[in-house]
């Protein structure tokens, strides 16, 4: 960690600490902005609030450790100071564990996120959500492998445009 000339902790140090505390709940997408993990997917946010929320969580962690570490209260104050927060957020957006490229998002064409997990479209297997997959979209419903659509408008449409049952099964 880099130290300031006066021996204090730098913004980079605070950014590294916040990145470590936030782990898989905060990302910064280049050209996208801040992303917050909302369970089934990463949600782009229009401002720095995800970074500030991560700083608040880190500050709370520090405040909980003041009995063992007297310096923790002063560090928590830095994380809550408006001007410092902006500078720390800027450094945080550059941290390798936080920063992601757009080309790294939504790259798993065979996976589809639902509210209750991620479905591998090749096997139909439902898997737990995984923030490391960097999915930014999810269906607004739960996956139900027992659902069927025989007799529905969709089934009739598929039969009309794909008379071959094998092709219909593939398209579904």
């Amino acid at each position: 960690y880099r130290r300031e000339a006066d021996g204090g902790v730098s913004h980079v140090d605070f950014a590294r600490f916040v990145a470590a505390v936030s782990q898989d709940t905060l990302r910064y997408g280049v050209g996208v902005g801040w992303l917050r993990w909302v369970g089934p997917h990463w949600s782009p946010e229009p401002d720095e609030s995800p970074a500030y929320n991560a700083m608040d969580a880190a500050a709370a962690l520090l405040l909980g450790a003041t009995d063992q570490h007297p310096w923790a209260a002063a560090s928590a104050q830095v994380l809550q100071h408006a001007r410092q927060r902006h500078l720390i957020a800027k450094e945080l957006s550059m941290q390798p564990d936080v920063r992601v490229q757009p080309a790294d998002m939504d790259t798993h064409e065979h996976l589809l996120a639902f509210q209750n997990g991620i479905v591998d479209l090749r096997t139909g297997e439902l898997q737990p959500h995984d923030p490391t997959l960097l999915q930014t979209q999810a269906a607004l419903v739960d996956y139900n492998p027992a659902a069927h659509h025989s007799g529905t408008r969709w089934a009739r449409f598929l039969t009309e445009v794909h008379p071959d049952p094998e092709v219909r099964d593939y398209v579904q």
Side-chain angles (χ1 to χ4, degrees), residues 108-126:
H108 306 280
E109 296 173 357
H110 62 283
L111 299 178
L112 180 60
F114 286 86
Q115 296 301 303
N116 60 338
I118 298 170
V119 174
D120 185 326
L121 299 175
R122 299 169 299 187
T123 65
E125 179 186 347
L126 181 65

Side-chain angles (χ1 to χ4, degrees), residues 4-63:
E4 295 294 319
D6 64 1
V9 179
S10 73
H11 295 113
V12 174
D13 294 326
F14 279 109
R16 287 178 180 156
F17 177 69
V18 173
V21 168
S22 62
Q23 294 177 346
D24 284 328
T25 61
L26 178 71
R27 293 288 181 271
Y28 182 82
V30 176
V32 176
W34 289 102
L35 300 159
R36 180 175 54 96
W37 178 248
V38 293
H41 63 92
W42 288 97
S43 175
E45 300 295 329
D47 55 24
E48 292 184 330
S49 61
Y52 292 164
N53 291 341
M55 285 181 228
D56 290 341
L61 186 65
L62 287 168
L63 288 172

Side-chain angles (χ1 to χ4, degrees), residues 77-89:
Q77 282 183 333
V78 171
L79 287 171
Q80 295 171 329
H81 186 272
R83 179 160 162 39
Q84 302 300 329
R85 287 165 74 90
H86 176 71
L87 296 170
I88 294 167

Side-chain angles (χ1 to χ4, degrees), residues 60-78:
L61 186 65
L62 287 168
L63 288 172
T66 55
D67 290 344
Q68 300 87 11
H69 307 288
W71 51 263
S75 294
Q77 282 183 333
V78 171

